[in-house]
Amino acid sequence: MARPTKDPVEYLQVKYMMHLIACKEHLPLSGYALERFFEPENVKPRQYAELTYDSGKWRRFLHQGVSPGTKSFSRIQEKAGYALKYLSSPIWDALETKLKDAAAFDALYRRLDKDTQNEVNNFIAMAHRVDDRADRKNFPLQRLIRKGDEHAMAALFGLFRQFNHHVFIHDIVETALYNVIFNFICRFCPFTFYSELYHFLFQNFFHTESKRLRASPWPESPEVIQYMIWIETKNMMLAEDIGLIDNLTSHEEFYFWKNRANKHLVIREMAGIYEEPNFSGLSPTSSKGLRWIVKKINKQRPSENQLSIASLMHSYNW
């Protein structure tokens, strides 16, 4: 009997793990470097030459997504065990390319944490009631965006696929997914893997022909994709530098409020503080700029760790 065909996402998982390890361990992105790190005994000198050769299997892991064998896997457990938890992330279940029926979607949602399961169930229960789908603070999809972790993204991908043939509901889920996907990619992936993950998503899910209420929002140009992810990365790093993101305010929380604010104004004002320690061009709270977003973020922080505009400016008042 022939061996069952592997789903393409299984190859993607392995390649993702190789990129992650190379990034975390500061290794060159090559099979040779990975093999030298994990199995140095395989790297041997060539006879009559000042060159070395390796088995080539780590190149297959990196470039083809071939699953590591027992020995290689044990070395990963020993030297880079942190990478293995990403192999069991529910995001990979959500990205399986095979068609899913109702039972498969139920199984996917049961893998998610309880809070995410509740949001999924709430959305499914209200999805066919048009009057309850307004974009409001307590809308289930908004709470998934605010949560923003792998479980929330797996839920959004699951709903995106589950309602693929319901034009109106699919449009709502697609909008929510589009609003968070580029930010998620720049948080979830090593930078060397951004394009490959998006290309996989585009080819298998976003590029599929389906009835739409409007034109597809998904970019295809590699230049556009790289620019959008670069912008998200730059904005998060800027928020970290001025102190908006710290151990009490997550990237997901900042991103959620930035998108509900006047985000272009917020970014201009963050850049102003970064570049000018005594920046005086901040807009009033009513303009939903930086003052507004600080007020919203403070509601989730302890009273003794409240942010202020003065404290943000102090970070660069050298």
Side-chain angles (χ1 to χ4, degrees):
M1 181 180 293
R3 181 180 297 179
T5 303
K6 292 176 67 173
D7 192 284
V9 76
E10 295 181 57
Y11 299 102
L12 188 75
Q13 280 179 275
V14 176
K15 290 192 281 186
Y16 169 86
M17 183 171 66
M18 295 298 112
H19 280 254
L20 180 68
I21 292 170
C23 182
K24 292 282 190 181
E25 302 297 337
H26 306 288
L27 301 174
L29 190 61
S30 69
Y32 175 82
L34 287 164
E35 186 150 14
R36 189 172 60 179
F37 179 76
F38 285 106
E39 299 183 70
E41 68 275 14
N42 293 349
V43 180
K44 301 175 181 178
R46 290 183 184 273
Q47 192 173 12
Y48 311 120
E50 295 182 359
L51 301 173
T52 58
Y53 70 94
D54 57 280
S55 69
K57 61 181 179 179
W58 287 84
R59 280 194 290 275
R60 294 192 291 276
F61 303 159
L62 174 64
H63 299 299
Q64 300 172 27
V66 176
S67 297
T70 303
K71 177 186 174 184
S72 300
F73 193 81
S74 67
R75 294 294 178 88
I76 294 173
Q77 285 181 309
E78 178 186 341
K79 291 190 171 184
Y82 59 83
L84 297 180
K85 71 174 184 178
Y86 292 96
L87 289 183
S88 59
S89 169
I91 196 71
W92 306 118
D93 287 350
L95 298 183
E96 289 180 345
T97 59
K98 64 184 180 184
L99 294 176
K100 291 181 180 290
D101 56 18
F105 282 116
D106 286 342
L108 167 64
Y109 300 143
R110 284 197 299 272
R111 279 206 60 197
L112 307 179
D113 60 52
K114 291 298 182 182
D115 289 342
T116 305
Q117 286 184 44
N118 290 338
E119 299 303 346
V120 170
N121 292 334
N122 289 340
F123 178 78
I124 292 174
M126 69 188 297
H128 293 278
R129 302 204 302 272
V130 177
D131 57 333
D132 282 345
R133 284 206 298 267
D135 180 10
R136 59 185 64 171
K137 180 179 178 181
N138 293 320
F139 187 48
L141 295 187
Q142 289 299 315
R143 290 197 292 271
L144 288 177
I145 291 174
R146 186 174 186 176
K147 192 168 184 287
D149 61 7
E150 297 162 45
H151 288 255
M153 292 303 299
L156 286 172
F157 274 112
L159 293 170
F160 176 80
R161 298 180 64 188
Q162 184 174 2
F163 289 99
N164 188 44
H165 300 294
H166 193 296
V167 178
F168 188 54
I169 301 175
H170 183 263
D171 183 77
I172 293 171
V173 179
E174 183 177 54
T175 299
L177 185 59
Y178 179 82
N179 285 341
V180 74
I181 186 64
F182 298 103
N183 182 268
F184 174 73
I185 288 175
C186 74
R187 287 185 285 106
F188 179 69
C189 286
F191 71 95
T192 55
F193 204 67
Y194 290 165
S195 296
E196 183 152 3
L197 177 59
Y198 182 84
H199 180 74
F200 178 88
L201 298 175
F202 183 83
Q203 291 297 325
N204 290 286
F205 305 112
F206 301 155
H207 192 50
T208 55
E209 295 296 327
S210 60
K211 295 180 180 179
R212 293 180 175 276
L213 288 177
R214 50 187 170 176
S216 171
W218 304 106
E220 186 172 3
S221 163
E223 292 78 15
V224 173
I225 296 161
Q226 291 171 9
Y227 176 75
M228 295 179 76
I229 296 175
W230 174 76
I231 286 293
E232 291 295 345
T233 305
K234 181 181 177 182
N235 290 341
M236 287 200 304
M237 292 174 66
L238 183 58
E240 289 174 354
D241 285 343
I242 68 171
L244 273 173
I245 295 174
D246 59 13
N247 60 342
L248 294 175
T249 300
S250 66
H251 292 83
E252 295 87 348
E253 183 76 5
F254 165 75
Y255 178 78
F256 175 78
W257 289 115
K258 177 176 75 71
N259 269 26
R260 296 180 74 84
N262 182 338
K263 59 184 178 183
H264 298 295
L265 178 60
V266 169
I267 293 166
R268 284 200 304 272
E269 293 181 343
M270 287 197 304
I273 288 178
Y274 180 83
E275 294 168 1
E276 301 177 35
N278 297 314
F279 181 70
S280 59
L282 292 181
S283 61
T285 305
S286 58
S287 298
K288 301 186 79 169
L290 192 58
R291 295 183 191 276
W292 183 87
I293 203 171
V294 167
K295 180 179 178 181
K296 294 297 183 181
I297 287 175
N298 275 337
K299 291 182 179 180
Q300 312 302 319
R301 296 173 66 95
S303 57
E304 66 272 17
N305 296 110
Q306 296 284 288
L307 295 175
S308 68
I309 297 298
S311 67
L312 299 182
M313 290 183 170
H314 181 69
S315 299
Y316 279 87
N317 191 10
W318 299 335

